[in-house]
Structures are given as C-alpha cells and as structure tokens.
Amino acid sequence: MADTDTEFIEILNATGGGDTAFLRAGPKPLPDVIPILGLADVVIFPGMITPLLVESTPSIRLVDDVVGGDRFVGLVLQTKADTEDPGPDELYDIGCVCRIVKMLKFPDNSVRILVDGLKRIRVSEFVQREPYLKARVEVVADSGEDSIELEAISRNAQQLFQEIVSLSPALNEQVKVSALNQEKPGKLADLIAANLNMELNERQAMLETVPAKDRLNALMPMLHRELEVLMLGSKIQKEVSSSMAKSQRDFYLREQLRAIQRELGEEDPSVAEVNALRDRVDEIKLPDDVLQVALKELDRLAQTPPNVAEYTISRNYLDWLVSLPWDRSTEDKFDLDEAGLLLDEHHYGLSKVKDRLLEFLAVIKLKQELKGPILCLAGPPGVGKTSLGKSVADALGRKFARIALGGMRDEAEIRGHRRTYVGAMPGRIIQTLRRVESNNPVILLDEIDKLSSDFRGDPGAALLEVLDPEQNRTFTDNYLDVPFDLSRVLFFTTANWLDPIMPALRDRLEVIELPSYTADEKLEIAKRHLVPRQLEEHGVRARQVKLADAALRKLITGYTREAGVRNLEREIASLIRKSARRIVSSKRKPKLINIGSKTVQEWLGPVKFVSESAEKISEFGIVTGLAWTPVGGEILFVEATRMPGKGRLILTGSLGEVMKESAQAGLSYLRSQARSLKLDLDDFDSFDLHIHVPSGATPKDGPSAGVTILCALASLFSRRLVRSNLAMTGEISLRGRVLPVGGIKEKVLAAARAGITEVILPERNRKDWADVPDAVRDEMTPHFVKHISQLLPLALTSKRL
C-alpha cells in the first residue's frame, strides 16, 4: 500500500532531482504482466507525476524489484483505505500503469518514490499473490472521434480551468502552462481531473470513464462549482485584507499623530480625556467606596487603547459616575405660610389634603433628615394629583422631576442594566438625579397603579428598595454597581386605584385620598384657573371674551361628567376657539363677546348628560337612593312591584353581586319582622317580587343601597308612600342594623343638586357630615339612624293606597 507524500518534492530537489537519464530514454514496451501496488488515498491519471510514501514490507520489496527491473508498476485504488496489504478483491479493476522515476530510502525503513502516470490499464487477472501482487493487464486506449462539439467542450473546459488555476493558490503556474498547451481532449481531461478538487470516488469514476467527451462533460459542473467557490473565497479574502489594511493604516496614522503631538508639546487626546475625568473625580466629594471604584476605573481607562470597545464602555461609566450629584443639593425653604399661600394659589379646595401636606413640610422643618412614609396621592383622574407634587417642590424650593410608571414592565427601568450588555444605561431614578443635578429633589412617581410585569422582571418589586426609608440610603443601580443615597429625595406617588398596587409596596405608602370636585368647586376652579389659562393659550384677551357663571355651570352639569376638570377645560377651550374665530372674522373691531348658557347650547349643541332630579312619588314601592361614582355622587330610584307567582325574587338593572345580596338581606329581614312591622305577608308564596333600578345599561354594585331596597319593599308590602323630598343611603344587616358607607359628601351634594331637602344617613357617618359644604348643610336636614326601626317611620308616610 502507498500514500501520497507532499514533502517528497522538496526532498527530491535537495537530492539532485529525478533520474534524467531514464526520462530521456526512449519508450520501452509494456509487458503483459506487471506488479500491482494498491493506493489508499490517491488516484493516478495518465500524465500525472506525483510522490508516494511506501511503508509496508511487501510493498517496499515490490518497489525494489521494479526499480531493479523495467520500472513499470500498476497503481490501483483500494476499495477500503484502511487495508494495509489489499488483496485482489479489495482493488478496483481500472488503474494506471506508471514508471518509477525516483526512489529514496529513509532511516525509518520507509521508501519515497516519484511516479509518472503513463496509460489507463484494466486488470484482467491476478497471476501472483506472494510476496506481492502481479496481474495480467491490458491498456485502455482513449475512445471517440474528434468533432467540432468535442473541440468546443475542450476549449470551454480549458478556459474554466485556467481561471481556476489563476485563483487557486494550491495550483502552480506549471499546471496552467500545461493546460494551455494541451491540445488533445483526453489528456486535457486527465490533467484537469488530476488537479481539480474532487472526492476519491469522483476521481476513480473519472479514471474509469474512457471516452474523452464523456469525461469533459462530467468535469464541466465540477469546474463551474470550483470556480464559484474560489471566486467567493477570493472576494472574502479581499474584503478581509482591505479591512485589515484599513485598521493597520488607522493605527499607523494614529501613532504618527501622537508622535507629532509629542514633538509639538501637545497632549494626546485620550490622555487629555483621562486627565479631565481624573480632575472631575478630584473636584467632587465622592464617598470612599465610590472613590476607590472611580480611581480603579481611571487606571484601567488609561491603559486601554482608544480604538478598543472597552474604552468607550469604561469612559461612559466614569462619565455617569462623576456626573451624579453626590455632593450637590438645593437649600430648603421652610416658610409654611408661604407654602400654604402657594398651595391655595395653585389648587382650590382640597383643604384636608393641603393640611396633610403642610404637616408633612412642618415635620421636615423640625427634623432635617426625615425618614417618614412615602405619600401616595390617590384619587380619580383630573383632580390635581400631579400638580400637587409640583407645588410641594415649589414650596420647598427643591427641584422637581416626574417619572411616568404607566405601562412600565421591565425591572431594569428602575435598577438599570448591567454594563456587560450593549447599550447599557442606569435606571430611571439615577437618570433623573443626573438630569436635575441635585441629590434632594422632589420626585413624583406618577401612576404607580399602572405598573405591570413580565419575563423581564417586576418594576414594583424594584421600587420596594427605592421607597423604603430604611433601605434607600444604599440604593445600588445595576449599571453603577455602587450605592447611592436616596434618603434625601422626597418621593411622592400618585394612583387612581389602590387595589392593583402590590401589598408589600402598598404597605410603604401613606395614602392621601383626593375626593372628586363638587360643582361649586369646579365653578371656582374654572373661574380662577381654567378660563384664564385657555384665554392665554389661544391669544384672546380677557376684555374680548367673558364666560358667565351660568355658562360654566351649564358646561359642568350638561357637557361633562367627571371627578376632575380635564373635560371641563376641553369644553372651555372649544368655546374660546369659537370666540377667537369670530374675533378674527369680524371686519369691524369686535365688541366683548358674552358667553351665556344659551350661547353654550348654540355653539356646543344639545347637552350630553342629563342628571336625575327629584320627582313626586305617587306610587308605593318607589324610593330615592344615593350612589357614589368616580365622577361624583348621583341619585337613583329603586322600584319594587309584585305579581302573581311562586315567591321568587327578580332583580334587574345591571346589579352586581353585593347589591343582589343586599336585596336578599332586606327581604329576609322584612319577612322575619313582618309581625312587629305590621306587614301582611301571609300570601307571600303566591306572589313574585321584582326589584328594578333604572338606567339598566349602567352597572351598579355596592352595599350602600341596602336601606333603599329594604324601604322600597316595606313601602310595597305596607302600601304606604315614601316621602318625595327624602333620599337615603346605608348598608343593612340581618339584625336590622344600619351600617356606615363611604362617599357621604358626594352623595349629599348630589341630593342637593336634585332638590332633595332631607337625607337619611347611618349614625356612624355623622362624622362625615362635617365634610359637606356649609351652604349645603344649611339647606339640608340630615337624619342619622342606627336601626331599621328608626328608618321606616322617617321614610314612610302614614297615607296608605
């Protein structure tokens, strides 16, 4: 067995080359029987000169005998490459007869030979097996006649091969010269097959293909494939070389620039940048642990080349580190009188909220390092939660910043990203402190109830450390990886609802409820703030347009239904725009435009909302109730009737589960106390009861309608009317107790707007009566009850139908 030996050519040249005398000798006749040598990893073609390595003992003996004789040997590919001494069954039938041109023996008992391929042969039969194989062979001559088609294929193959040789570094110029001067198609096909990159089985198939035309046709796809691969490789190599050349050129020019700057006495820009950062580190008073990190990072930056990616990362980190307000703060103002005037100037009403904020400021004045609770301003939209936080900052003389939390779902928004990530940045807290350039600002975390979470983490959990006075002294951002003291920051939060806030975060907040505005409060807010602001924003002067109080009340009651004043401001803006158009369109100097209630309806169209008003009750089973909504209080009517049936209770009007349970509780109480209340319910099982609350498209729920439903049923059973000027609210129990409810202020105001003069309230809500405006309390008569036995005599008339 023999293998290829790529080092043999160099050794051959060093020893003086081949046997030139033998090569010059004339051709000798090929004997019928020649020795056969199996090849493991190479296929020899006619005209191919290649070195081989012979290692096995039988094969070395074969080479010795051949070199001592006529030097003819048959080289045939083995069917199995790992067989050391193949037998006749392990060799292909077609091979190549070669002459051994040169032989060299080495100390390791191996032999290197240089062979020259002569002709294709077919092994007819093996005549000797020991000590090596001998076989009878016959020469396989090229077949096929010359034709124009064969010449065209040959030229095309020759051209493609020359392009491959020019692109392939493995093929030398001699191969190109040989291909260029080869005129016979068969020899050209063998030359290409011998030098083209192919698998062993493909080479053997090419050797076994006798017609030159068939060989060239089989080679054409391989030539095209090899050319495409080499062209693509050449393109990639050029791009890589160009990129490397540019990098080397840039590096060389940069080094030259540094040398020139040194000669001129100028400082290297990268060194100047490091020195500037070092000066900033020395100027600010960094904590000891932060200073050590900064100095270590500066040393690393000074040793890093500017064209390395880590240089930019380290420089940005140091820039963030020295830009933070470690020792910069604003001086607080503790004039509570001025703070109270400022709050009154910016916000009308909200007296309880203002008192709590002033108390908070007073404690800060007494104890500079306050570790108190975080205030959460909770209330419906548009009541001034965000502007209250800004007013507190103005009152203290601190800088103000707002961070919108609505829709935030990534924990890194609070804590920042690790520096290992591309484009990493600190969290929103650190970014805000850098922007305001103060370590004691007022930061408003807006819409904290709108936080959400996903696979990237929970921002609410990250806020636990930020909003905990015991922990935020050492708040560590992931990007900075050093602690920053947030204890001097005054945090406010806002929310519309408290239920979505996670319990652990809710526990860190002191909630200040902001109630919805009453109609009178909205009127004052519109006159003091909204109208002047809209006039200024639309370029209209106060002497050109005047909005009457009646017009503003019309907007409040008929065109808006909200707890705050945002929609009211939009409607006012609409009126101002229409006025501005009339001012501009008028050819004469316009007079004062007075906007009254009629003008509002003409310009804005029909009213959008119609409020319920008290009506004379002329039938039993009807009661006026009071309800709370996010946009204020409302009155509602509860209607009850009965019809022949089987004692069922039917509830309609989009009632919630709690309201349905209140109806069941009220009915159960009346049935259990029918004798003491003098109600005739002996025929109860022969009737069905139906309770309905109008405005069926509006969902309704809550326990505060319990007394209203019970009173409607009592009126139905006793056939006594309920007083028309009376409204009520309260929760009931099966024992007949009247329990407290919320929203008393809004409910009483709604009753006053509807023309109600008396209200029935739970006794335990007596304390809430003080929140009702004085003007309403003067016109309204309250009745506080503890038990149903007190309620029914007040609500039901003595007249029976």
Side-chain angles (χ1 to χ4, degrees):
M1 184 183 76
D3 299 308
T4 56
D5 190 355
T6 56
E7 299 177 358
F8 183 53
I9 296 296
E10 298 178 4
I11 299 173
L12 182 63
N13 292 333
T15 56
D19 192 346
T20 54
F22 176 76
L23 292 175
R24 287 195 301 268
K28 297 181 180 180
L30 180 68
D32 294 336
V33 177
I34 59 174
I36 301 297
L37 179 63
L39 302 177
D41 59 354
V42 64
V43 176
I44 305 298
F45 288 89
M48 178 179 174
I49 299 178
T50 187
L52 298 175
L53 171 66
V54 182
E55 293 180 308
S56 65
T57 302
S59 299
I60 293 174
R61 182 173 178 181
L62 180 151
V63 171
D64 288 337
D65 292 348
V66 168
V67 172
D70 55 12
R71 297 202 175 195
F72 289 114
V73 62
L75 300 181
V76 183
L77 181 67
Q78 302 172 188
T79 57
K80 296 180 180 180
D82 55 352
T83 303
E84 184 173 353
D85 292 313
D89 297 336
E90 297 173 318
L91 297 173
Y92 285 97
D93 294 336
I94 302 296
C96 182
V97 61
C98 301
R99 285 183 298 184
I100 298 180
V101 179
K102 185 70 176 179
M103 178 184 75
L104 291 176
K105 292 187 177 181
F106 288 82
D108 60 353
N109 295 326
S110 63
V111 174
R112 269 77 165 175
I113 59 175
L114 184 68
V115 297
D116 180 13
L118 300 177
K119 294 182 180 180
R120 282 177 175 78
I121 58 171
R122 185 189 306 278
V123 178
S124 300
E125 62 174 329
F126 286 91
V127 298
Q128 177 182 311
R129 297 176 181 269
E130 296 294 338
Y132 50 80
L133 297 176
K134 279 189 176 183
R136 193 179 307 279
V137 298
E138 57 182 24
V139 177
V140 180
D142 287 347
S143 62
E145 299 179 356
D146 293 341
S147 64
I148 297 177
E149 182 182 1
L150 180 60
E151 183 178 356
I153 296 173
S154 177
R155 288 183 180 180
N156 194 7
Q158 190 178 42
Q159 181 180 359
L160 290 173
F161 187 64
Q162 289 175 6
E163 294 181 13
I164 290 173
V165 172
S166 64
L167 293 174
S168 176
L171 300 177
N172 54 35
E173 191 67 22
Q174 293 178 355
V175 177
K176 183 177 181 179
V177 173
S178 300
L180 186 63
N181 294 284
Q182 189 59 256
E183 297 179 355
K184 293 185 178 181
K187 291 186 176 181
L188 177 64
D190 290 340
L191 176 64
I192 295 174
N195 291 280
L196 198 62
N197 187 17
M198 293 189 296
E199 299 291 337
L200 274 179
N201 57 347
E202 293 177 335
R203 292 180 183 274
Q204 181 63 29
M206 200 61 62
L207 182 66
E208 293 176 356
T209 304
V210 177
K213 180 181 177 181
D214 294 345
R215 272 181 280 160
L216 289 172
N217 284 331
L219 284 171
M220 290 302 292
M222 301 180 186
L223 288 169
H224 282 290
R225 181 189 64 189
E226 185 68 17
L227 182 60
E228 289 181 4
V229 171
L230 289 173
M231 290 178 67
L232 182 59
S234 177
K235 179 181 177 183
I236 294 173
Q237 183 64 29
K238 287 180 180 179
E239 291 177 354
V240 172
S241 300
S242 175
S243 176
M244 291 179 63
K246 183 178 183 304
S247 300
Q248 293 172 354
R249 175 178 173 273
D250 292 346
F251 177 77
Y252 177 71
L253 292 176
R254 198 172 286 112
E255 290 299 322
Q256 281 188 328
L257 182 61
R258 289 195 181 97
I260 293 171
Q261 288 171 341
R262 283 194 297 269
E263 290 296 327
L264 294 175
E266 297 178 356
E267 194 175 13
D268 188 353
S270 61
V271 175
E273 191 172 34
V274 173
N275 291 337
L277 288 170
R278 196 179 298 276
D279 292 340
R280 292 176 64 184
V281 169
D282 295 337
E283 290 173 3
I284 58 179
K285 296 180 180 179
L286 293 175
D288 293 339
D289 52 347
V290 179
L291 180 61
Q292 292 179 4
V293 173
L295 294 176
K296 183 179 179 181
E297 198 68 29
L298 277 169
D299 294 339
R300 182 184 303 169
L301 182 67
Q303 298 173 6
T304 305
N307 56 338
V308 178
E310 284 74 9
Y311 182 88
T312 303
I313 296 174
S314 184
R315 184 194 61 194
N316 291 340
Y317 174 75
L318 282 168
D319 187 53
W320 272 101
L321 209 60
V322 299
S323 299
L324 290 177
W326 299 95
D327 58 345
R328 298 194 300 272
S329 59
T330 55
E331 187 177 353
D332 290 336
K333 297 185 301 184
F334 293 112
D335 191 338
L336 294 186
D337 294 334
E338 183 180 347
L341 292 175
L342 186 63
L343 290 174
D344 289 336
E345 180 183 351
H346 292 170
H347 302 275
Y348 179 80
L350 305 176
S351 57
K352 284 191 173 182
V353 177
K354 293 177 186 176
D355 290 342
R356 179 63 185 89
L357 291 176
L358 290 175
E359 292 167 3
F360 188 71
L361 298 180
V363 175
I364 295 178
K365 181 178 181 179
L366 293 175
K367 187 175 182 180
Q368 299 293 330
E369 296 183 1
L370 176 65
K371 290 186 179 180
I374 308 299
L375 298 184
C376 176
L377 305 177
V383 296
K385 299 184 295 297
T386 304
S387 58
L388 272 172
K390 179 69 169 62
S391 297
V392 171
D394 294 339
L396 281 173
R398 294 190 181 187
K399 294 185 178 181
F400 175 78
R402 171 182 169 270
I403 299 178
L405 301 180
M408 186 182 293
R409 60 180 66 246
D410 188 356
E411 180 188 358
E413 291 282 349
I414 303 297
R415 289 189 176 275
H417 300 83
R418 301 281 181 188
R419 275 190 290 162
T420 53
Y421 296 106
V422 176
M425 292 182 65
R428 299 281 289 277
I429 302 295
I430 297 298
Q431 291 182 39
T432 301
L433 291 174
R434 180 185 181 182
R435 187 174 66 252
V436 300
E437 298 180 345
S438 173
N439 61 11
N440 65 338
V442 175
I443 295 182
L444 180 72
L445 303 176
D446 209 6
E447 309 291 355
I448 196 172
D449 57 325
K450 308 300 189 302
L451 284 172
S452 54
S453 61
D454 60 9
F455 64 93
R456 290 170 290 188
D458 186 357
L463 283 175
L464 293 177
E465 180 183 1
V466 175
L467 299 181
D468 192 336
E470 300 297 331
Q471 300 181 32
N472 62 11
R473 184 178 294 274
T474 57
F475 172 72
T476 302
D477 187 275
N478 289 332
Y479 181 84
L480 297 180
D481 203 24
V482 292
F484 190 94
D485 186 5
L486 296 180
S487 62
R488 301 191 64 191
V489 179
L490 185 57
F491 287 103
F492 279 84
T493 65
T494 68
N496 297 128
W497 307 97
L498 297 177
D499 293 342
I501 303 176
M502 59 185 299
L505 185 58
R506 169 72 176 82
D507 185 60
R508 286 164 169 78
L509 305 177
E510 179 178 335
V511 179
I512 300 178
E513 297 280 356
L514 273 72
S516 58
Y517 290 121
T518 65
D520 291 338
E521 289 173 337
K522 290 181 182 180
L523 177 62
E524 287 299 324
I525 292 172
K527 290 165 62 176
R528 297 186 184 189
H529 302 287
L530 304 185
V531 173
R533 182 164 62 208
Q534 290 303 318
L535 288 173
E536 181 181 356
E537 289 183 0
H538 290 83
V540 180
R541 298 178 181 177
R543 66 172 181 268
Q544 292 176 310
V545 177
K546 181 180 179 181
L547 271 77
D549 289 358
L552 294 175
R553 289 189 182 277
K554 188 76 172 179
L555 291 176
I556 293 168
T557 59
Y559 292 86
T560 62
R561 179 151 298 182
E562 58 180 341
V565 291
R566 284 182 183 157
N567 287 328
L568 176 59
E569 187 170 12
R570 293 190 186 100
E571 297 297 338
I572 292 174
S574 179
L575 293 176
I576 301 298
R577 286 195 301 269
K578 294 181 183 299
S579 301
R581 178 181 176 184
R582 283 164 174 76
I583 293 172
V584 174
S585 301
S586 178
K587 295 181 180 180
R588 296 180 300 173
K589 185 177 180 181
K591 298 180 180 179
L592 177 65
I593 298 178
N594 286 299
I595 302 177
S597 59
K598 291 184 179 179
T599 308
V600 170
Q601 193 158 353
E602 290 174 4
W603 289 4
L604 300 183
V607 295
K608 300 176 182 178
F609 303 100
V610 178
S611 300
E612 294 282 359
S613 58
E615 61 182 38
K616 183 174 177 59
I617 297 177
S618 58
E619 300 179 31
F620 52 82
I622 300 176
V623 183
T624 305
L626 298 174
W628 179 91
T629 68
V631 297
E634 290 288 339
I635 69 168
L636 53 83
F637 296 98
V638 176
E639 302 173 352
T641 186
R642 65 179 181 175
M643 65 212 78
K646 298 181 180 179
R648 294 180 303 162
L649 177 62
I650 303 171
L651 302 170
T652 58
S654 298
L655 307 185
E657 290 298 322
V658 177
M659 206 165 179
K660 292 179 180 178
E661 291 173 359
S662 297
Q664 293 283 358
L667 178 60
S668 298
Y669 176 80
L670 290 177
R671 292 183 65 185
S672 65
Q673 302 294 326
R675 181 172 300 177
S676 62
L677 296 176
K678 299 180 180 180
L679 300 177
D680 185 10
L681 298 181
D682 295 336
D683 57 349
F684 178 81
D685 292 336
S686 60
F687 288 93
D688 287 341
L689 294 177
H690 187 171
I691 298 175
H692 177 71
V693 182
S695 299
T698 304
K700 311 169 191 69
D701 202 2
S704 61
V707 295
T708 310
I709 296 174
L710 183 142
C711 194
L713 291 173
S715 172
L716 177 67
F717 294 150
S718 64
R719 303 182 65 86
R720 294 165 61 186
L721 297 178
V722 178
R723 295 165 56 190
S724 300
N725 64 336
L726 179 72
M728 61 188 70
T729 183
E731 183 181 355
I732 59 171
S733 70
L734 285 177
R735 293 182 293 166
R737 298 169 59 207
V738 179
L739 305 178
V741 292
I744 295 299
K745 176 184 175 182
E746 289 81 4
K747 293 176 181 179
V748 173
L749 290 174
R753 288 196 303 269
I756 301 294
T757 58
E758 297 183 39
V759 290
I760 296 179
L761 305 174
E763 175 64 33
R764 289 166 62 181
N765 283 120
R766 185 185 291 271
K767 64 182 187 306
D768 299 313
W769 183 251
D771 296 335
V772 179
D774 294 339
V776 176
R777 284 189 291 173
D778 293 340
E779 298 177 359
M780 188 78 63
T781 302
H783 302 280
F784 298 100
V785 297
K786 295 181 179 179
H787 198 270
I788 298 299
S789 60
Q790 298 174 297
L791 167 70
L792 295 180
L794 290 171
L796 300 177
T797 64
S798 58
K799 183 178 180 181
R800 294 178 179 268
L801 295 180

